[in-house]
Amino acid sequence: MSNFAAATRRRGALCYSRSTVSPIKRIGILTGGGDAPGLNAVIRAVVKCAWNSGIGCLGLEDSYDGLLEFDRSRILAPRDVTGILRLGGTILGTINTGNPMDSMVPTSDGPRVYGERVIDMFHKMGLDALIAIGGDGTLAIGHEFFKRGIPLVGVPKTIDNDIVGTTNCFGFDTAVAFATDAIDRLHTTAEAHHRIMIVEVMGRYAGWIALYAGVAGGADAILIPEIPFDIDIVAERLRARDKWGAKFSIVVVAEGAFPKGGSAVLQEAANEKHVERLGGIGAQLCPAIAELTGKQTRSVVLGHLQRGGAPTSFDRALATRFGGKAVELVMTGQFGTMVAFDPPDIVARQLEDVVGKTKTVPMDSDLLLTARALGVTFGD
Ligand code: F6P
């Protein structure tokens, strides 16, 4: 064994090498759910690691839909993934349309039950395993396919960082970096005009982006779904800043935040094609805070900008490690699992332990407690 192989084995990193004999000859790879910076880095890592172990990859387009027809997939060799490490989005395409498992779909062979068609085509395409990169929805569907006999490994992705079992998902660091930069920019204009700026960030039912970007950007109020807020308490904190001479304030609000006794603001209710779409709390807070503080107030929604652009170096490295680990799990037959970050290691979790749950900000989070100690209000 080479020194490198011995060293990586000692640290619990990739435990296979080119000489590992695996019955796996062909892996299908797909990306599902909302995109997140780092998806392409995972694809690249999977394709290259697999190739170097004599395994071919088939890229499936638009999540599990890539298994509906032969012409919705393409072979991926290293030359097909060269240069995509730094690209946002996903070269495979993705969709975010709920769980189609038992619905009827039109196919070139006539109408079929979605789940049955996917399983049938998995075998017809000569696949030995599937790597599904996605958020909770994609992983939950993957878990269902695993239970129905598909050898599957999941890779967690989401800017929201709300997947149970992994400290970080790739995409989160990039989203936080973007939101922090936006808050920095809003600081200067807020200060110049002695205004309050409200910044609405994504995150669904978890306040991770708001908490991290809020602290990193020096926000005065951070409102997260885990802590229903009282607007009078928020306004009191902002008025207090005026009294000691800080004539401007920054409020970071997670899209899923809601007032005590209230509920989250929706852009669109859930329907058969999509889960509910959150958004609009910043705009709702704007006139209320202006009235309670007597200060000019403006609100900005960062929206999908948080999902675009190049992944940070942290996300590139994490995504690459996830991709390498996913290939290791496939080669060693550890299916029904998800790769996860358990610092400093990349580990495997059982899908059944993570799907259908949401990792929210715990009330004893050191970052949350430190923010409180700094005087940041959470509106409680
Ligand atoms: O899960 C990622 C995420 O960006 C959430 O933060 C946001 O609520 C949702 O996706 C938006 O979904 P869509 O892109 O379908 O509007």
Side-chain angles (χ1 to χ4, degrees):
M1 188 188 298
S2 70
N3 288 343
F4 173 75
T8 53
R9 198 170 286 209
R10 268 200 306 276
R11 292 187 195 113
L14 302 185
C15 69
Y16 63 91
S17 70
R18 281 172 186 231
S19 58
T20 301
V21 180
S22 165
I24 305 290
K25 293 287 166 244
R26 203 176 203 209
I27 302 174
I29 178 169
L30 62 86
T31 54
D35 68 320
L39 282 170
N40 284 323
V42 183
I43 296 168
R44 171 181 172 272
V46 167
V47 170
K48 289 196 171 190
C49 290
W51 181 275
N52 290 335
S53 294
I55 298 173
C57 280
L58 192 67
L60 305 163
E61 295 170 5
D62 301 329
S63 193
Y64 297 96
D65 282 11
L67 283 159
L68 292 177
E69 302 290 344
F70 287 109
D71 64 0
R72 297 193 68 177
S73 61
R74 60 186 188 270
I75 288 170
L76 294 178
R79 67 174 171 278
D80 302 305
V81 295
T82 293
I84 68 169
L85 174 63
R86 64 184 182 282
L87 300 183
T90 160
I91 61 165
L92 294 177
T94 186
I95 50 168
N96 202 3
T97 51
N99 189 342
M101 190 64 85
D102 297 319
S103 57
M104 295 299 292
V105 277
T107 76
S108 50
D109 300 314
R112 291 283 187 278
V113 176
Y114 189 96
E116 290 169 12
R117 173 72 174 183
V118 162
I119 292 170
D120 186 35
M121 290 294 282
F122 173 86
H123 296 297
K124 285 186 173 149
M125 286 176 168
L127 294 171
D128 301 307
L130 202 55
I131 292 180
I133 314 165
D136 184 54
T138 305
L139 296 174
I141 296 170
H143 185 227
E144 191 55 42
F145 278 127
F146 168 69
K147 288 192 287 184
R148 297 186 190 191
I150 298 289
L152 180 141
V153 169
V155 177
K157 114 5 292 192
T158 171
I159 65 163
D160 305 335
N161 207 34
D162 60 354
I163 296 182
V164 167
T166 184
T167 305
N168 280 76
C169 288
F170 62 86
F172 172 62
D173 186 64
T174 307
V176 168
F178 175 81
T180 304
D181 181 52
I183 295 167
D184 286 351
R185 289 163 189 265
L186 292 168
H187 247 113
T188 54
T189 176
E191 191 164 6
H193 285 267
H194 319 298
R195 281 173 172 161
I196 296 171
M197 298 296 305
I198 301 172
V199 190
E200 180 181 311
V201 298
M202 282 184 165
R204 293 196 68 77
Y205 309 110
W208 294 107
I209 298 177
L211 177 62
Y212 272 77
V215 170
D220 308 293
I222 301 174
L223 308 179
I224 59 177
E226 293 84 347
I227 306 176
F229 62 84
D230 180 334
I231 194 160
D232 290 319
I233 293 175
V234 177
E236 174 54 34
R237 167 81 180 102
L238 303 180
R239 285 195 300 266
R241 277 177 56 79
D242 251 33
K243 284 194 199 123
W244 61 260
K247 301 288 178 205
F248 71 98
S249 292
I250 302 286
V251 177
V252 175
V253 57
E255 62 180 358
F258 56 91
K260 278 181 188 157
S263 55
V265 182
L266 298 187
Q267 294 220 7
E268 197 182 338
N271 56 47
E272 67 286 350
K273 290 242 176 253
H274 210 290
V275 294
E276 65 182 13
R277 289 178 56 219
L278 297 164
I281 181 68
Q284 272 199 7
L285 282 175
C286 197
I289 286 185
E291 193 183 325
L292 289 168
T293 60
K295 293 186 73 70
Q296 282 192 344
T297 305
R298 301 285 188 267
S299 75
V300 175
V301 182
L302 299 187
H304 290 81
L305 291 168
Q306 293 158 97
R307 290 196 343 215
T312 59
S313 52
F314 178 87
D315 279 340
R316 295 180 200 193
L318 183 64
T320 301
R321 295 172 76 190
F322 276 1
K325 184 73 178 180
V327 173
E328 177 201 322
L329 295 181
V330 166
M331 290 181 67
T332 52
Q334 297 181 65
F335 299 114
T337 55
M338 173 190 93
V339 304
F341 186 36
D342 186 359
D345 299 321
I346 305 295
V347 300
R349 304 271 187 238
Q350 296 301 313
L351 276 174
E352 65 184 350
D353 295 335
V354 304
V355 297
K357 300 176 183 165
T358 303
K359 184 184 73 181
T360 52
V361 177
M363 289 306 101
D364 62 353
S365 148
D366 75 287
L367 192 58
L368 188 136
L369 295 177
T370 301
R372 286 194 192 279
L374 287 169
V376 175
T377 181
F378 287 82
D380 60 339

